[in-house]
PDB file of all heavy atoms in Angstrom:
ATOM      1  N   LYS A   1     -14.704   8.335  -8.090  1.00  0.00           N
ATOM      2  CA  LYS A   1     -14.344   7.360  -9.141  1.00  0.00           C
ATOM      3  C   LYS A   1     -12.970   6.757  -8.962  1.00  0.00           C
ATOM      4  O   LYS A   1     -12.699   5.694  -9.485  1.00  0.00           O
ATOM      5  CB  LYS A   1     -14.429   8.063 -10.532  1.00  0.00           C
ATOM      6  CG  LYS A   1     -15.853   8.371 -10.963  1.00  0.00           C
ATOM      7  CD  LYS A   1     -15.898   8.835 -12.435  1.00  0.00           C
ATOM      8  CE  LYS A   1     -17.323   9.015 -12.882  1.00  0.00           C
ATOM      9  NZ  LYS A   1     -17.398   9.452 -14.294  1.00  0.00           N
ATOM     10  N   ILE A   2     -12.093   7.468  -8.235  1.00  0.00           N
ATOM     11  CA  ILE A   2     -10.755   6.911  -8.051  1.00  0.00           C
ATOM     12  C   ILE A   2     -10.584   6.145  -6.752  1.00  0.00           C
ATOM     13  O   ILE A   2      -9.533   5.669  -6.397  1.00  0.00           O
ATOM     14  CB  ILE A   2      -9.676   8.005  -8.136  1.00  0.00           C
ATOM     15  CG1 ILE A   2      -9.797   8.941  -6.962  1.00  0.00           C
ATOM     16  CG2 ILE A   2      -9.756   8.764  -9.440  1.00  0.00           C
ATOM     17  CD1 ILE A   2      -8.570   9.807  -6.777  1.00  0.00           C
ATOM     18  N   LYS A   3     -11.695   6.004  -5.984  1.00  0.00           N
ATOM     19  CA  LYS A   3     -11.680   5.352  -4.693  1.00  0.00           C
ATOM     20  C   LYS A   3     -11.086   3.942  -4.773  1.00  0.00           C
ATOM     21  O   LYS A   3     -10.114   3.598  -4.101  1.00  0.00           O
ATOM     22  CB  LYS A   3     -13.093   5.290  -4.140  1.00  0.00           C
ATOM     23  CG  LYS A   3     -13.186   4.828  -2.695  1.00  0.00           C
ATOM     24  CD  LYS A   3     -14.634   4.681  -2.278  1.00  0.00           C
ATOM     25  CE  LYS A   3     -15.472   5.932  -2.447  1.00  0.00           C
ATOM     26  NZ  LYS A   3     -16.870   5.773  -1.967  1.00  0.00           N
ATOM     27  N   SER A   4     -11.668   3.121  -5.639  1.00  0.00           N
ATOM     28  CA  SER A   4     -11.234   1.720  -5.765  1.00  0.00           C
ATOM     29  C   SER A   4      -9.811   1.602  -6.346  1.00  0.00           C
ATOM     30  O   SER A   4      -8.957   0.930  -5.790  1.00  0.00           O
ATOM     31  CB  SER A   4     -12.217   0.934  -6.581  1.00  0.00           C
ATOM     32  OG  SER A   4     -11.792  -0.412  -6.744  1.00  0.00           O
ATOM     33  N   PRO A   5      -9.510   2.260  -7.489  1.00  0.00           N
ATOM     34  CA  PRO A   5      -8.158   2.110  -8.029  1.00  0.00           C
ATOM     35  C   PRO A   5      -7.052   2.659  -7.138  1.00  0.00           C
ATOM     36  O   PRO A   5      -5.977   2.093  -7.063  1.00  0.00           O
ATOM     37  CB  PRO A   5      -8.227   2.848  -9.381  1.00  0.00           C
ATOM     38  CG  PRO A   5      -9.467   3.602  -9.388  1.00  0.00           C
ATOM     39  CD  PRO A   5     -10.396   2.955  -8.427  1.00  0.00           C
ATOM     40  N   LEU A   6      -7.327   3.747  -6.408  1.00  0.00           N
ATOM     41  CA  LEU A   6      -6.293   4.319  -5.531  1.00  0.00           C
ATOM     42  C   LEU A   6      -6.049   3.367  -4.364  1.00  0.00           C
ATOM     43  O   LEU A   6      -4.871   3.131  -4.002  1.00  0.00           O
ATOM     44  CB  LEU A   6      -6.775   5.690  -5.020  1.00  0.00           C
ATOM     45  CG  LEU A   6      -5.736   6.457  -4.187  1.00  0.00           C
ATOM     46  CD1 LEU A   6      -4.494   6.770  -5.014  1.00  0.00           C
ATOM     47  CD2 LEU A   6      -6.346   7.752  -3.646  1.00  0.00           C
ATOM     48  N   THR A   7      -7.132   2.840  -3.802  1.00  0.00           N
ATOM     49  CA  THR A   7      -6.943   1.838  -2.727  1.00  0.00           C
ATOM     50  C   THR A   7      -6.168   0.645  -3.214  1.00  0.00           C
ATOM     51  O   THR A   7      -5.241   0.147  -2.541  1.00  0.00           O
ATOM     52  CB  THR A   7      -8.335   1.393  -2.214  1.00  0.00           C
ATOM     53  OG1 THR A   7      -9.053   2.495  -1.687  1.00  0.00           O
ATOM     54  CG2 THR A   7      -8.193   0.327  -1.116  1.00  0.00           C
ATOM     55  N   THR A   8      -6.511   0.142  -4.400  1.00  0.00           N
ATOM     56  CA  THR A   8      -5.835  -1.001  -4.964  1.00  0.00           C
ATOM     57  C   THR A   8      -4.355  -0.703  -5.196  1.00  0.00           C
ATOM     58  O   THR A   8      -3.492  -1.547  -4.932  1.00  0.00           O
ATOM     59  CB  THR A   8      -6.487  -1.414  -6.282  1.00  0.00           C
ATOM     60  OG1 THR A   8      -7.875  -1.698  -6.081  1.00  0.00           O
ATOM     61  CG2 THR A   8      -5.803  -2.626  -6.900  1.00  0.00           C
ATOM     62  N   ARG A   9      -4.059   0.517  -5.642  1.00  0.00           N
ATOM     63  CA  ARG A   9      -2.639   0.870  -5.897  1.00  0.00           C
ATOM     64  C   ARG A   9      -1.814   0.787  -4.622  1.00  0.00           C
ATOM     65  O   ARG A   9      -0.746   0.209  -4.604  1.00  0.00           O
ATOM     66  CB  ARG A   9      -2.555   2.281  -6.476  1.00  0.00           C
ATOM     67  CG  ARG A   9      -1.135   2.762  -6.772  1.00  0.00           C
ATOM     68  CD  ARG A   9      -0.444   1.813  -7.728  1.00  0.00           C
ATOM     69  NE  ARG A   9       0.995   2.029  -7.753  1.00  0.00           N
ATOM     70  CZ  ARG A   9       1.874   1.171  -8.272  1.00  0.00           C
ATOM     71  NH1 ARG A   9       1.475   0.029  -8.780  1.00  0.00           N
ATOM     72  NH2 ARG A   9       3.156   1.446  -8.257  1.00  0.00           N
ATOM     73  N   PHE A  10      -2.332   1.340  -3.527  1.00  0.00           N
ATOM     74  CA  PHE A  10      -1.587   1.315  -2.278  1.00  0.00           C
ATOM     75  C   PHE A  10      -1.453  -0.127  -1.747  1.00  0.00           C
ATOM     76  O   PHE A  10      -0.437  -0.502  -1.166  1.00  0.00           O
ATOM     77  CB  PHE A  10      -2.259   2.191  -1.213  1.00  0.00           C
ATOM     78  CG  PHE A  10      -1.953   3.681  -1.366  1.00  0.00           C
ATOM     79  CD1 PHE A  10      -2.962   4.570  -1.629  1.00  0.00           C
ATOM     80  CD2 PHE A  10      -0.654   4.128  -1.287  1.00  0.00           C
ATOM     81  CE1 PHE A  10      -2.666   5.956  -1.778  1.00  0.00           C
ATOM     82  CE2 PHE A  10      -0.366   5.493  -1.467  1.00  0.00           C
ATOM     83  CZ  PHE A  10      -1.357   6.405  -1.695  1.00  0.00           C
ATOM     84  N   LYS A  11      -2.491  -0.918  -1.959  1.00  0.00           N
ATOM     85  CA  LYS A  11      -2.431  -2.325  -1.515  1.00  0.00           C
ATOM     86  C   LYS A  11      -1.380  -3.102  -2.306  1.00  0.00           C
ATOM     87  O   LYS A  11      -0.696  -3.972  -1.764  1.00  0.00           O
ATOM     88  CB  LYS A  11      -3.828  -2.970  -1.579  1.00  0.00           C
ATOM     89  CG  LYS A  11      -4.760  -2.438  -0.553  1.00  0.00           C
ATOM     90  CD  LYS A  11      -6.192  -2.914  -0.749  1.00  0.00           C
ATOM     91  CE  LYS A  11      -6.423  -4.277  -0.201  1.00  0.00           C
ATOM     92  NZ  LYS A  11      -7.840  -4.667  -0.224  1.00  0.00           N
ATOM     93  N   ILE A  12      -1.292  -2.809  -3.596  1.00  0.00           N
ATOM     94  CA  ILE A  12      -0.257  -3.464  -4.421  1.00  0.00           C
ATOM     95  C   ILE A  12       1.127  -3.085  -3.925  1.00  0.00           C
ATOM     96  O   ILE A  12       1.996  -3.930  -3.770  1.00  0.00           O
ATOM     97  CB  ILE A  12      -0.420  -3.061  -5.917  1.00  0.00           C
ATOM     98  CG1 ILE A  12      -1.669  -3.694  -6.506  1.00  0.00           C
ATOM     99  CG2 ILE A  12       0.812  -3.466  -6.725  1.00  0.00           C
ATOM    100  CD1 ILE A  12      -2.031  -3.165  -7.865  1.00  0.00           C
ATOM    101  N   MET A  13       1.319  -1.786  -3.674  1.00  0.00           N
ATOM    102  CA  MET A  13       2.618  -1.330  -3.202  1.00  0.00           C
ATOM    103  C   MET A  13       3.013  -1.950  -1.858  1.00  0.00           C
ATOM    104  O   MET A  13       4.196  -2.222  -1.609  1.00  0.00           O
ATOM    105  CB  MET A  13       2.613   0.192  -3.040  1.00  0.00           C
ATOM    106  CG  MET A  13       2.457   0.945  -4.366  1.00  0.00           C
ATOM    107  SD  MET A  13       2.233   2.734  -4.107  1.00  0.00           S
ATOM    108  CE  MET A  13       3.875   3.238  -3.641  1.00  0.00           C
ATOM    109  N   ALA A  14       2.011  -2.268  -1.023  1.00  0.00           N
ATOM    110  CA  ALA A  14       2.273  -2.853   0.312  1.00  0.00           C
ATOM    111  C   ALA A  14       2.208  -4.391   0.275  1.00  0.00           C
ATOM    112  O   ALA A  14       2.305  -5.021   1.305  1.00  0.00           O
ATOM    113  CB  ALA A  14       1.271  -2.337   1.325  1.00  0.00           C
ATOM    114  N   HIS A  15       2.071  -4.974  -0.927  1.00  0.00           N
ATOM    115  CA  HIS A  15       1.984  -6.427  -1.117  1.00  0.00           C
ATOM    116  C   HIS A  15       0.855  -7.062  -0.298  1.00  0.00           C
ATOM    117  O   HIS A  15       1.023  -8.091   0.305  1.00  0.00           O
ATOM    118  CB  HIS A  15       3.319  -7.090  -0.756  1.00  0.00           C
ATOM    119  CG  HIS A  15       4.504  -6.531  -1.507  1.00  0.00           C
ATOM    120  ND1 HIS A  15       4.774  -6.845  -2.809  1.00  0.00           N
ATOM    121  CD2 HIS A  15       5.476  -5.665  -1.132  1.00  0.00           C
ATOM    122  CE1 HIS A  15       5.862  -6.211  -3.219  1.00  0.00           C
ATOM    123  NE2 HIS A  15       6.279  -5.477  -2.237  1.00  0.00           N
ATOM    124  N   LEU A  16      -0.295  -6.394  -0.333  1.00  0.00           N
ATOM    125  CA  LEU A  16      -1.494  -6.931   0.359  1.00  0.00           C
ATOM    126  C   LEU A  16      -2.398  -7.612  -0.615  1.00  0.00           C
ATOM    127  O   LEU A  16      -2.253  -7.472  -1.854  1.00  0.00           O
ATOM    128  CB  LEU A  16      -2.236  -5.796   1.056  1.00  0.00           C
ATOM    129  CG  LEU A  16      -1.460  -4.995   2.108  1.00  0.00           C
ATOM    130  CD1 LEU A  16      -2.316  -3.860   2.688  1.00  0.00           C
ATOM    131  CD2 LEU A  16      -0.973  -5.907   3.245  1.00  0.00           C
ATOM    132  N   ASP A  17      -3.348  -8.371  -0.115  1.00  0.00           N
ATOM    133  CA  ASP A  17      -4.304  -9.115  -0.932  1.00  0.00           C
ATOM    134  C   ASP A  17      -5.408  -8.117  -1.378  1.00  0.00           C
ATOM    135  O   ASP A  17      -6.242  -7.680  -0.606  1.00  0.00           O
ATOM    136  CB  ASP A  17      -4.953 -10.228  -0.111  1.00  0.00           C
ATOM    137  CG  ASP A  17      -5.932 -11.066  -0.917  1.00  0.00           C
ATOM    138  OD1 ASP A  17      -6.185 -10.736  -2.097  1.00  0.00           O
ATOM    139  OD2 ASP A  17      -6.471 -12.038  -0.366  1.00  0.00           O
ATOM    140  N   ILE A  18      -5.371  -7.771  -2.677  1.00  0.00           N
ATOM    141  CA  ILE A  18      -6.337  -6.760  -3.188  1.00  0.00           C
ATOM    142  C   ILE A  18      -7.750  -7.333  -3.272  1.00  0.00           C
ATOM    143  O   ILE A  18      -8.725  -6.566  -3.395  1.00  0.00           O
ATOM    144  CB  ILE A  18      -5.916  -6.207  -4.546  1.00  0.00           C
ATOM    145  CG1 ILE A  18      -5.891  -7.283  -5.610  1.00  0.00           C
ATOM    146  CG2 ILE A  18      -4.572  -5.509  -4.450  1.00  0.00           C
ATOM    147  CD1 ILE A  18      -5.709  -6.760  -7.017  1.00  0.00           C
ATOM    148  N   SER A  19      -7.897  -8.653  -3.278  1.00  0.00           N
ATOM    149  CA  SER A  19      -9.254  -9.238  -3.354  1.00  0.00           C
ATOM    150  C   SER A  19      -9.952  -9.292  -1.992  1.00  0.00           C
ATOM    151  O   SER A  19     -11.150  -9.487  -1.902  1.00  0.00           O
ATOM    152  CB  SER A  19      -9.160 -10.648  -3.931  1.00  0.00           C
ATOM    153  OG  SER A  19      -8.449 -11.506  -3.067  1.00  0.00           O
ATOM    154  N   GLU A  20      -9.167  -9.093  -0.919  1.00  0.00           N
ATOM    155  CA  GLU A  20      -9.739  -9.143   0.432  1.00  0.00           C
ATOM    156  C   GLU A  20     -10.105  -7.721   0.880  1.00  0.00           C
ATOM    157  O   GLU A  20      -9.220  -6.867   1.134  1.00  0.00           O
ATOM    158  CB  GLU A  20      -8.742  -9.739   1.418  1.00  0.00           C
ATOM    159  CG  GLU A  20      -9.249  -9.814   2.843  1.00  0.00           C
ATOM    160  CD  GLU A  20     -10.605 -10.525   2.976  1.00  0.00           C
ATOM    161  OE1 GLU A  20     -10.601 -11.785   2.921  1.00  0.00           O
ATOM    162  OE2 GLU A  20     -11.635  -9.805   3.082  1.00  0.00           O
ATOM    163  N   ARG A  21     -11.417  -7.459   0.932  1.00  0.00           N
ATOM    164  CA  ARG A  21     -11.880  -6.124   1.305  1.00  0.00           C
ATOM    165  C   ARG A  21     -12.714  -6.140   2.559  1.00  0.00           C
ATOM    166  O   ARG A  21     -13.207  -5.088   3.010  1.00  0.00           O
ATOM    167  CB  ARG A  21     -12.691  -5.513   0.167  1.00  0.00           C
ATOM    168  CG  ARG A  21     -11.912  -5.378  -1.108  1.00  0.00           C
ATOM    169  CD  ARG A  21     -12.808  -4.879  -2.245  1.00  0.00           C
ATOM    170  NE  ARG A  21     -12.044  -4.799  -3.493  1.00  0.00           N
ATOM    171  CZ  ARG A  21     -12.577  -4.445  -4.646  1.00  0.00           C
ATOM    172  NH1 ARG A  21     -13.854  -4.165  -4.714  1.00  0.00           N
ATOM    173  NH2 ARG A  21     -11.793  -4.367  -5.729  1.00  0.00           N
ATOM    174  N   ARG A  22     -12.874  -7.297   3.163  1.00  0.00           N
ATOM    175  CA  ARG A  22     -13.771  -7.422   4.360  1.00  0.00           C
ATOM    176  C   ARG A  22     -12.989  -7.370   5.654  1.00  0.00           C
ATOM    177  O   ARG A  22     -13.563  -7.118   6.694  1.00  0.00           O
ATOM    178  CB  ARG A  22     -14.548  -8.728   4.279  1.00  0.00           C
ATOM    179  CG  ARG A  22     -15.413  -8.862   3.050  1.00  0.00           C
ATOM    180  CD  ARG A  22     -15.819 -10.305   2.848  1.00  0.00           C
ATOM    181  NE  ARG A  22     -14.647 -11.165   2.674  1.00  0.00           N
ATOM    182  CZ  ARG A  22     -14.687 -12.491   2.711  1.00  0.00           C
ATOM    183  NH1 ARG A  22     -15.813 -13.102   2.882  1.00  0.00           N
ATOM    184  NH2 ARG A  22     -13.575 -13.163   2.536  1.00  0.00           N
ATOM    185  N   LEU A  23     -11.683  -7.679   5.605  1.00  0.00           N
ATOM    186  CA  LEU A  23     -10.886  -7.756   6.847  1.00  0.00           C
ATOM    187  C   LEU A  23      -9.737  -6.760   6.805  1.00  0.00           C
ATOM    188  O   LEU A  23      -9.237  -6.388   5.728  1.00  0.00           O
ATOM    189  CB  LEU A  23     -10.303  -9.179   6.966  1.00  0.00           C
ATOM    190  CG  LEU A  23     -11.292 -10.317   7.150  1.00  0.00           C
ATOM    191  CD1 LEU A  23     -10.572 -11.658   7.082  1.00  0.00           C
ATOM    192  CD2 LEU A  23     -12.021 -10.199   8.472  1.00  0.00           C
ATOM    193  N   PRO A  24      -9.312  -6.301   7.991  1.00  0.00           N
ATOM    194  CA  PRO A  24      -8.158  -5.398   8.039  1.00  0.00           C
ATOM    195  C   PRO A  24      -6.882  -6.133   7.601  1.00  0.00           C
ATOM    196  O   PRO A  24      -6.774  -7.356   7.776  1.00  0.00           O
ATOM    197  CB  PRO A  24      -8.065  -5.032   9.548  1.00  0.00           C
ATOM    198  CG  PRO A  24      -9.361  -5.380  10.144  1.00  0.00           C
ATOM    199  CD  PRO A  24      -9.897  -6.505   9.313  1.00  0.00           C
ATOM    200  N   GLN A  25      -5.954  -5.390   7.002  1.00  0.00           N
ATOM    201  CA  GLN A  25      -4.664  -5.955   6.603  1.00  0.00           C
ATOM    202  C   GLN A  25      -3.541  -5.018   6.993  1.00  0.00           C
ATOM    203  O   GLN A  25      -3.756  -3.823   7.113  1.00  0.00           O
ATOM    204  CB  GLN A  25      -4.606  -6.188   5.091  1.00  0.00           C
ATOM    205  CG  GLN A  25      -5.645  -7.198   4.571  1.00  0.00           C
ATOM    206  CD  GLN A  25      -5.407  -7.469   3.089  1.00  0.00           C
ATOM    207  OE1 GLN A  25      -4.399  -8.071   2.684  1.00  0.00           O
ATOM    208  NE2 GLN A  25      -6.354  -7.050   2.243  1.00  0.00           N
ATOM    209  N   ASP A  26      -2.380  -5.562   7.191  1.00  0.00           N
ATOM    210  CA  ASP A  26      -1.196  -4.793   7.493  1.00  0.00           C
ATOM    211  C   ASP A  26      -0.073  -5.159   6.541  1.00  0.00           C
ATOM    212  O   ASP A  26       0.108  -6.342   6.217  1.00  0.00           O
ATOM    213  CB  ASP A  26      -0.715  -5.041   8.934  1.00  0.00           C
ATOM    214  CG  ASP A  26      -1.718  -4.564   9.961  1.00  0.00           C
ATOM    215  OD1 ASP A  26      -2.014  -3.365   9.948  1.00  0.00           O
ATOM    216  OD2 ASP A  26      -2.183  -5.370  10.755  1.00  0.00           O
ATOM    217  N   GLY A  27       0.641  -4.154   6.053  1.00  0.00           N
ATOM    218  CA  GLY A  27       1.750  -4.393   5.136  1.00  0.00           C
ATOM    219  C   GLY A  27       2.805  -3.328   5.286  1.00  0.00           C
ATOM    220  O   GLY A  27       2.763  -2.483   6.187  1.00  0.00           O
ATOM    221  N   ARG A  28       3.758  -3.341   4.369  1.00  0.00           N
ATOM    222  CA  ARG A  28       4.900  -2.413   4.429  1.00  0.00           C
ATOM    223  C   ARG A  28       5.296  -2.026   3.025  1.00  0.00           C
ATOM    224  O   ARG A  28       5.240  -2.797   2.088  1.00  0.00           O
ATOM    225  CB  ARG A  28       6.037  -3.090   5.148  1.00  0.00           C
ATOM    226  CG  ARG A  28       6.769  -2.190   6.162  1.00  0.00           C
ATOM    227  CD  ARG A  28       7.811  -2.977   6.934  1.00  0.00           C
ATOM    228  NE  ARG A  28       8.568  -2.086   7.798  1.00  0.00           N
ATOM    229  CZ  ARG A  28       8.384  -1.919   9.045  1.00  0.00           C
ATOM    230  NH1 ARG A  28       7.392  -2.543   9.643  1.00  0.00           N
ATOM    231  NH2 ARG A  28       9.139  -1.079   9.773  1.00  0.00           N
ATOM    232  N   ILE A  29       5.687  -0.763   2.877  1.00  0.00           N
ATOM    233  CA  ILE A  29       6.242  -0.253   1.607  1.00  0.00           C
ATOM    234  C   ILE A  29       7.627   0.297   1.893  1.00  0.00           C
ATOM    235  O   ILE A  29       7.843   0.993   2.895  1.00  0.00           O
ATOM    236  CB  ILE A  29       5.351   0.875   1.024  1.00  0.00           C
ATOM    237  CG1 ILE A  29       3.918   0.403   0.751  1.00  0.00           C
ATOM    238  CG2 ILE A  29       5.968   1.414  -0.254  1.00  0.00           C
ATOM    239  CD1 ILE A  29       2.972   1.523   0.389  1.00  0.00           C
ATOM    240  N   ARG A  30       8.553  -0.056   1.041  1.00  0.00           N
ATOM    241  CA  ARG A  30       9.909   0.516   1.148  1.00  0.00           C
ATOM    242  C   ARG A  30      10.235   1.307  -0.101  1.00  0.00           C
ATOM    243  O   ARG A  30      10.183   0.793  -1.186  1.00  0.00           O
ATOM    244  CB  ARG A  30      10.942  -0.608   1.349  1.00  0.00           C
ATOM    245  CG  ARG A  30      10.913  -1.217   2.745  1.00  0.00           C
ATOM    246  CD  ARG A  30      12.013  -2.255   2.919  1.00  0.00           C
ATOM    247  NE  ARG A  30      12.099  -2.636   4.300  1.00  0.00           N
ATOM    248  CZ  ARG A  30      11.365  -3.611   4.852  1.00  0.00           C
ATOM    249  NH1 ARG A  30      10.493  -4.232   4.083  1.00  0.00           N
ATOM    250  NH2 ARG A  30      11.484  -3.906   6.130  1.00  0.00           N
ATOM    251  N   LEU A  31      10.532   2.592   0.110  1.00  0.00           N
ATOM    252  CA  LEU A  31      10.807   3.492  -1.032  1.00  0.00           C
ATOM    253  C   LEU A  31      12.107   4.264  -0.824  1.00  0.00           C
ATOM    254  O   LEU A  31      12.616   4.323   0.258  1.00  0.00           O
ATOM    255  CB  LEU A  31       9.674   4.486  -1.187  1.00  0.00           C
ATOM    256  CG  LEU A  31       8.234   3.983  -1.318  1.00  0.00           C
ATOM    257  CD1 LEU A  31       7.281   5.147  -1.423  1.00  0.00           C
ATOM    258  CD2 LEU A  31       8.103   3.106  -2.524  1.00  0.00           C
ATOM    259  N   LYS A  32      12.556   4.841  -1.931  1.00  0.00           N
ATOM    260  CA  LYS A  32      13.671   5.778  -1.874  1.00  0.00           C
ATOM    261  C   LYS A  32      13.178   7.148  -2.266  1.00  0.00           C
ATOM    262  O   LYS A  32      12.427   7.293  -3.206  1.00  0.00           O
ATOM    263  CB  LYS A  32      14.774   5.368  -2.851  1.00  0.00           C
ATOM    264  CG  LYS A  32      16.051   4.862  -2.179  1.00  0.00           C
ATOM    265  CD  LYS A  32      17.151   4.691  -3.222  1.00  0.00           C
ATOM    266  CE  LYS A  32      18.266   3.832  -2.697  1.00  0.00           C
ATOM    267  NZ  LYS A  32      18.755   4.185  -1.400  1.00  0.00           N
ATOM    268  N   PHE A  33      13.588   8.156  -1.514  1.00  0.00           N
ATOM    269  CA  PHE A  33      13.163   9.529  -1.821  1.00  0.00           C
ATOM    270  C   PHE A  33      14.341  10.456  -1.573  1.00  0.00           C
ATOM    271  O   PHE A  33      14.844  10.555  -0.458  1.00  0.00           O
ATOM    272  CB  PHE A  33      11.985   9.947  -0.895  1.00  0.00           C
ATOM    273  CG  PHE A  33      11.521  11.349  -1.092  1.00  0.00           C
ATOM    274  CD1 PHE A  33      10.750  11.724  -2.144  1.00  0.00           C
ATOM    275  CD2 PHE A  33      11.899  12.332  -0.162  1.00  0.00           C
ATOM    276  CE1 PHE A  33      10.350  13.033  -2.340  1.00  0.00           C
ATOM    277  CE2 PHE A  33      11.500  13.637  -0.333  1.00  0.00           C
ATOM    278  CZ  PHE A  33      10.706  13.990  -1.421  1.00  0.00           C
ATOM    279  N   SER A  34      14.830  11.075  -2.659  1.00  0.00           N
ATOM    280  CA  SER A  34      15.991  11.983  -2.556  1.00  0.00           C
ATOM    281  C   SER A  34      17.140  11.352  -1.824  1.00  0.00           C
ATOM    282  O   SER A  34      17.793  11.967  -0.972  1.00  0.00           O
ATOM    283  CB  SER A  34      15.560  13.275  -1.846  1.00  0.00           C
ATOM    284  OG  SER A  34      14.602  13.963  -2.594  1.00  0.00           O
ATOM    285  N   GLY A  35      17.404  10.077  -2.150  1.00  0.00           N
ATOM    286  CA  GLY A  35      18.548   9.381  -1.557  1.00  0.00           C
ATOM    287  C   GLY A  35      18.311   8.819  -0.171  1.00  0.00           C
ATOM    288  O   GLY A  35      19.183   8.208   0.426  1.00  0.00           O
ATOM    289  N   ARG A  36      17.074   9.046   0.354  1.00  0.00           N
ATOM    290  CA  ARG A  36      16.737   8.551   1.711  1.00  0.00           C
ATOM    291  C   ARG A  36      15.929   7.287   1.613  1.00  0.00           C
ATOM    292  O   ARG A  36      14.994   7.206   0.822  1.00  0.00           O
ATOM    293  CB  ARG A  36      15.953   9.618   2.476  1.00  0.00           C
ATOM    294  CG  ARG A  36      16.717  10.862   2.758  1.00  0.00           C
ATOM    295  CD  ARG A  36      15.875  12.131   2.636  1.00  0.00           C
ATOM    296  NE  ARG A  36      14.611  12.051   3.370  1.00  0.00           N
ATOM    297  CZ  ARG A  36      13.600  12.899   3.202  1.00  0.00           C
ATOM    298  NH1 ARG A  36      13.700  13.856   2.273  1.00  0.00           N
ATOM    299  NH2 ARG A  36      12.493  12.801   3.887  1.00  0.00           N
ATOM    300  N   ASP A  37      16.267   6.278   2.444  1.00  0.00           N
ATOM    301  CA  ASP A  37      15.491   5.048   2.536  1.00  0.00           C
ATOM    302  C   ASP A  37      14.351   5.298   3.511  1.00  0.00           C
ATOM    303  O   ASP A  37      14.578   5.629   4.670  1.00  0.00           O
ATOM    304  CB  ASP A  37      16.334   3.879   2.990  1.00  0.00           C
ATOM    305  CG  ASP A  37      17.337   3.472   1.945  1.00  0.00           C
ATOM    306  OD1 ASP A  37      16.969   3.429   0.759  1.00  0.00           O
ATOM    307  OD2 ASP A  37      18.527   3.218   2.297  1.00  0.00           O
ATOM    308  N   ILE A  38      13.098   5.084   3.046  1.00  0.00           N
ATOM    309  CA  ILE A  38      11.956   5.355   3.900  1.00  0.00           C
ATOM    310  C   ILE A  38      11.015   4.153   3.903  1.00  0.00           C
ATOM    311  O   ILE A  38      10.727   3.579   2.833  1.00  0.00           O
ATOM    312  CB  ILE A  38      11.204   6.630   3.425  1.00  0.00           C
ATOM    313  CG1 ILE A  38      12.109   7.808   3.436  1.00  0.00           C
ATOM    314  CG2 ILE A  38       9.981   6.877   4.295  1.00  0.00           C
ATOM    315  CD1 ILE A  38      11.577   9.079   2.840  1.00  0.00           C
ATOM    316  N   ASP A  39      10.563   3.765   5.066  1.00  0.00           N
ATOM    317  CA  ASP A  39       9.577   2.684   5.242  1.00  0.00           C
ATOM    318  C   ASP A  39       8.219   3.285   5.535  1.00  0.00           C
ATOM    319  O   ASP A  39       8.110   4.325   6.192  1.00  0.00           O
ATOM    320  CB  ASP A  39       9.977   1.729   6.388  1.00  0.00           C
ATOM    321  CG  ASP A  39      11.018   0.741   5.953  1.00  0.00           C
ATOM    322  OD1 ASP A  39      11.557   0.860   4.844  1.00  0.00           O
ATOM    323  OD2 ASP A  39      11.314  -0.177   6.764  1.00  0.00           O
ATOM    324  N   PHE A  40       7.170   2.625   5.030  1.00  0.00           N
ATOM    325  CA  PHE A  40       5.817   2.997   5.350  1.00  0.00           C
ATOM    326  C   PHE A  40       5.097   1.793   5.931  1.00  0.00           C
ATOM    327  O   PHE A  40       5.089   0.719   5.303  1.00  0.00           O
ATOM    328  CB  PHE A  40       5.065   3.442   4.088  1.00  0.00           C
ATOM    329  CG  PHE A  40       5.616   4.659   3.421  1.00  0.00           C
ATOM    330  CD1 PHE A  40       6.761   4.547   2.615  1.00  0.00           C
ATOM    331  CD2 PHE A  40       5.075   5.907   3.619  1.00  0.00           C
ATOM    332  CE1 PHE A  40       7.302   5.652   1.991  1.00  0.00           C
ATOM    333  CE2 PHE A  40       5.624   7.033   2.990  1.00  0.00           C
ATOM    334  CZ  PHE A  40       6.745   6.923   2.175  1.00  0.00           C
ATOM    335  N   ARG A  41       4.553   1.923   7.129  1.00  0.00           N
ATOM    336  CA  ARG A  41       3.750   0.839   7.713  1.00  0.00           C
ATOM    337  C   ARG A  41       2.325   1.101   7.262  1.00  0.00           C
ATOM    338  O   ARG A  41       1.743   2.150   7.527  1.00  0.00           O
ATOM    339  CB  ARG A  41       3.885   0.876   9.237  1.00  0.00           C
ATOM    340  CG  ARG A  41       3.408  -0.405   9.896  1.00  0.00           C
ATOM    341  CD  ARG A  41       3.670  -0.365  11.370  1.00  0.00           C
ATOM    342  NE  ARG A  41       2.710   0.453  12.070  1.00  0.00           N
ATOM    343  CZ  ARG A  41       2.993   1.231  13.129  1.00  0.00           C
ATOM    344  NH1 ARG A  41       4.207   1.323  13.536  1.00  0.00           N
ATOM    345  NH2 ARG A  41       2.066   1.918  13.693  1.00  0.00           N
TER     346      ARG A  41
END
């Protein structure tokens, strides 16, 4: 039941097109964790 909303959440965080589900997409997330700057591809 959380398949779609969890996928959508990560796509929002990576600034991807949530309406596009047929093609691969690439994005980036930048977060802070315990004072460390971390990127996610």
